[in-house]
Structures are given as C-alpha cells and as structure tokens.
Amino acid sequence: MASILAHDREMASVGITTVFDAIRVGSIQSSMNKRLHKKYARDVANEIAELRTQGVLKIRHHIHLRAETCSETLMEELDEFGVQDRVGIVSLMDHTPGQRQFADEAKFETYVRGKYNPPESDFVGYVDFLKNLRARLGERHENAVVAAAARFGAVLASHDDTTFKQVEQSGRHGVRLAEFPTTVEAARACHTMGIVNILGGPNLVRGGCIQAMSRRSIWPISTFWTSSHQIMCPHLCYSARCSWGSIGGIWRGDWQPSPQPPRKW
C-alpha cells in the first residue's frame, strides 16, 4: 500500500485530481516463465479499494486494466473484476514477439535481455512459447477483453497499433482510444476513423520507447497529446489526468485535448 499512497500524494502534489491506475491482467503460470509475468491485478485493486474506503486517498482513483492477450490467465483474471471496481479503461495488449511494438523481434530480444538477461537456450524457448500461446489463445482472449470492457461500461483502448489492418480491427471492436500508435500509418488511420491517439510524455522523458515516432511527424495527425503532468508512471501505476470526463464516458464527459504539443524539455 505504501507505493499506492506515494503515487496518490505525488499526483495530488502536481494538481492531478483523477487518475486511472493501470494494472496488468493476464499472467503466465507455467513453471518456466511464471517469474516474468506474475499475477497481481486483483490484489492491487483490492488495496486501492481499501484505501478509498478508509478515506485516506487525496484524489479520485479509477482502474485501467491493461489486458495482455498473450497470456495464460487473462479470462479468469477479467472475471475477478466487476462494475463495482470502477474500471474506466480496458486496453487490448499483445506483446508477442513479431507483433506490434515488437514487430522487429530483435527489439524484443534487446528488451528481454536487458531486463532479465536469460540464457540463450531459455530465451529461444521463451519466444517459441509466447508465439504458440498467442496462436492457441490470442483470438479467444481478444474477444474476451472486448466483452469485459462492455460489461464494465469501460472505454476500450488499443495498444501499440502498427498497421492499418490492426486499426481496422480496433474499429470493429469499438475501440475509442489508441494507446501509443507506433507508426505514422497507424496514427493516421486512427485519426481518420475517429479513434483518439494518445502519446505519452514519460517515454520522452525516459529517452523514447522501443519503437517511437518523432513528435514532428505525429503532431499533425495526433488528437490528444499528453505531457509529463498528464501521464506519469511512478511506482507500479500509470495515471492519466482528466477533467470530469473522458472519451465516451470514462468519467461522464470529454477529454481535454492539449492545444499544443508538449514543451521542449
């Protein structure tokens, strides 16, 4: 709970009054890989709810479920949540090697080796495991996420859109928010289809994401820019500043898009 309270105070200290705390659902329980993807979402949501009940939180906290379709436990973890949990956003994520952010598998290898430094044999086996997992459960999980967002009354977001085809699929699912498109093609397609693009400040502060576009290239087609005070990633939570409201009813109103791109740091 200490990290949640620290996060709450940090947001309050810079004038942010409503946040959507992002927690991943979709874990891997098989013995070889479970240490990389432990289940934690329900426990964290319970702690947030307990702190809210105690009246110790300074700002309004809602839940943003980041649903990893390349996982083993996604459906059962989604079933642990209901309308009482104040889930406002559900993101459809797919971090399979060869997909979206990791379309270039060399970038996936750089990421995993930099974070976990696995032996070569373990890494090769891990990649094969994830690809097989997606082939077996990916479509079923994707449909489950769409259904869960509707059940919660939450806004459905895509994640790391890369191609026009992926954006078309987002449109069919009813996606209204594009969380960090990774190519100009995808950002343009989202803009054309009325899906709001979000680009996050923390990636810029930390030196860029794994696959990133320049601000100059994306600004003309981006609908919603976020700067460091609007999306922040302290501790384990991802928080979005919003006014009373957000896209299609995250909180009874509308997002307040930034009129200008973020200031230079």
Side-chain angles (χ1 to χ4, degrees):
M1 288 189 182
S3 63
I4 298 171
L5 287 172
H7 157 65
D8 176 76
R9 296 328 189 245
E10 186 173 353
M11 297 297 99
S13 73
V14 293
I16 295 172
T17 60
T18 301
V19 296
F20 292 82
D21 296 323
I23 49 182
R24 172 184 48 79
V25 285
S27 308
I28 291 176
Q29 299 297 310
S30 57
S31 58
M32 180 178 65
N33 301 299
K34 64 182 179 182
R35 70 183 179 87
L36 306 182
H37 303 275
K38 294 181 179 179
K39 180 177 180 291
Y40 71 90
R42 184 65 262 177
D43 289 343
V44 172
N46 287 343
E47 290 183 355
I48 293 171
E50 183 178 342
L51 291 171
R52 185 188 301 118
T53 300
Q54 292 174 6
V56 298
L57 296 174
K58 301 296 185 183
I59 63 176
R60 291 179 292 269
H61 287 256
H62 300 270
I63 299 297
H64 172 185
L65 292 181
R66 307 185 84 211
E68 180 56 62
T69 57
C70 185
S71 64
E72 295 175 322
T73 65
L74 179 58
M75 294 175 71
E76 62 190 70
E77 289 191 55
L78 287 171
D79 287 343
E80 293 176 350
F81 288 84
V83 294
Q84 73 280 359
D85 291 302
R86 300 171 72 166
V87 178
I89 309 172
V90 179
S91 295
L92 261 169
M93 302 197 304
D94 180 3
H95 289 106
T96 310
Q99 301 296 321
R100 297 179 179 264
Q101 178 178 329
F102 296 123
D104 181 351
E105 293 190 31
K107 295 185 181 296
F108 179 79
E109 182 172 3
T110 299
Y111 170 76
V112 172
R113 291 195 183 282
K115 192 169 185 178
Y116 303 109
N117 193 29
E120 177 66 24
S121 58
D122 287 357
F123 175 75
V124 172
Y126 180 52
V127 169
D128 290 341
F129 167 81
L130 291 177
K131 289 182 176 181
N132 290 332
L133 185 61
R134 181 181 187 273
R136 182 164 53 91
L137 296 175
E139 184 176 355
R140 189 190 313 173
H141 281 175
E142 190 169 320
N143 292 333
V145 173
V146 174
R151 176 164 58 90
F152 302 145
V155 167
L156 184 64
S158 61
H159 184 79
D160 292 341
D161 290 319
T162 305
T163 67
F164 180 79
K165 184 177 180 180
Q166 289 169 350
V167 176
E168 281 190 317
Q169 179 72 346
S170 294
R172 287 192 289 269
H173 283 323
V175 164
R176 284 172 283 173
L177 185 64
E179 191 178 68
F180 320 138
T182 65
T183 65
V184 173
E185 175 191 1
R188 283 198 179 111
C190 288
H191 184 67
T192 300
M193 295 182 64
I195 299 172
V196 175
N197 289 310
I198 281 191
L199 302 179
N203 286 339
L204 295 175
V205 174
R206 294 182 297 178
C209 59
I210 292 173
Q211 181 174 338
M213 299 170 289
S214 70
R215 290 185 293 172
R216 185 182 300 273
S217 67
I218 192 62
W219 164 243
I221 51 177
S222 175
T223 307
F224 180 53
W225 265 93
T226 64
S227 59
S228 62
H229 70 284
Q230 291 173 309
I231 289 190
M232 308 180 77
C233 300
H235 317 298
L236 54 85
C237 295
Y238 159 106
S239 307
R241 179 185 78 109
C242 63
S243 64
W244 282 96
S246 66
I247 290 175
I250 294 177
W251 189 255
R252 311 292 184 188
D254 298 304
W255 285 95
Q256 299 299 308
S258 303
Q260 299 294 332
R263 294 173 295 174
K264 293 181 180 179
W265 298 98

